[in-house]
Amino acid sequence: RMAAARAARGVHEKHQPRNLTSPEREITAAALGRIHSVLELSRRTPVLRSLDELLRVAAEVASTKRELIYTTVSMDRALVQLVFLRQWFGNLGARARNVLLVGANEHTCQVVREASIPCFADAAAPTQRGRQNGFGSQVTLKWWYARVLAEARFHLIFSDPDVVWLRDPFAHWERSFDFQGLSDIRS
């Protein structure tokens, strides 16, 4: 646990994600500016309090083709989720500008934003009950967000934050689906 906490704070440089030089992964100044603007949006709108607010934020984060990569997360005490998020976000390269990261609570997003990753705390979804695959509300939340965003005609990819992307997922995935996901639970 201590090693994971140190890694979450960036102590182990060798474990930090590397920026590969392929054109799909290269982050341009424009993409960095866009990522920064999404971080600022998450600071101005730290909590998604209504469906209208969610859809407004999603429209600002999405690409011009209404593409979104999203995940839901709940922060653990040891900050292992933060290690995963840093790697996940970094591995998305320029596509990180279209990430909608939804925290199960405000504390989660506070920790994530301190790491300079945009995060929006959920307060829009109805109360989620139950568990899925032994995990709590962050997993059941993903299904509510998938339904709402798909109904609003966004092109969605759900990705667990411990999945590594080597290329832009939207450049290679079929657009005829309403929703696509990648989770290590069933991979």
Side-chain angles (χ1 to χ4, degrees):
R1 287 187 190 189
M2 295 300 288
R6 284 194 304 272
R9 291 190 302 271
V11 173
H12 294 294
E13 297 278 330
K14 67 181 181 181
H15 295 294
Q16 297 300 316
R18 292 185 212 156
N19 187 12
L20 303 178
T21 57
S22 72
E24 288 184 339
R25 304 230 348 157
E26 200 169 298
I27 299 180
T28 64
L32 282 174
R34 179 88 170 84
I35 292 167
H36 179 74
S37 71
V38 174
L39 178 60
E40 288 305 310
L41 175 63
S42 77
R43 289 179 176 146
R44 286 190 316 274
T45 312
V47 180
L48 300 170
R49 299 193 185 281
S50 68
L51 179 59
D52 288 340
E53 193 165 56
L54 164 62
L55 296 178
R56 178 186 59 79
V57 165
E60 287 187 49
V61 174
S63 72
T64 56
K65 295 178 182 177
R66 294 182 63 83
E67 299 166 329
L68 279 173
I69 300 170
Y70 84 101
T71 195
T72 54
V73 68
S74 182
M75 193 55 59
D76 57 297
R77 267 190 226 143
L79 302 180
V80 173
Q81 287 296 321
L82 185 57
V83 174
F84 290 149
L85 285 170
R86 281 184 164 168
Q87 292 171 348
W88 180 76
F89 197 76
N91 281 320
L92 281 167
R95 193 46 99 154
R97 69 189 181 274
N98 302 120
V99 165
L100 180 64
L101 194 154
V102 178
N105 53 55
E106 291 183 54
H107 169 72
T108 292
C109 284
Q110 202 172 15
V111 171
V112 173
R113 280 191 298 270
E114 286 175 12
S116 297
I117 299 172
C119 184
F120 302 87
D122 170 65
T127 302
Q128 303 296 306
R129 298 194 195 301
R131 300 173 71 78
Q132 182 177 341
N133 299 326
F135 295 97
S137 63
Q138 79 274 12
V139 176
T140 56
L141 268 179
K142 77 177 167 186
W143 300 117
W144 184 83
Y145 276 86
R147 181 182 58 79
V148 167
L149 293 167
E151 286 174 355
R153 313 296 287 164
F154 286 96
H155 301 282
L156 302 173
I157 291 178
F158 174 83
S159 171
D160 285 339
D162 60 347
V163 169
V164 175
W165 292 99
L166 300 177
R167 292 194 172 102
D168 175 357
F170 280 107
H172 304 284
W173 284 32
E174 177 60 45
R175 293 258 187 325
S176 63
F177 298 104
D178 292 331
F179 173 79
Q180 297 177 68
L182 186 59
S183 173
D184 62 353
I185 274 294
R186 299 285 182 228
S187 297

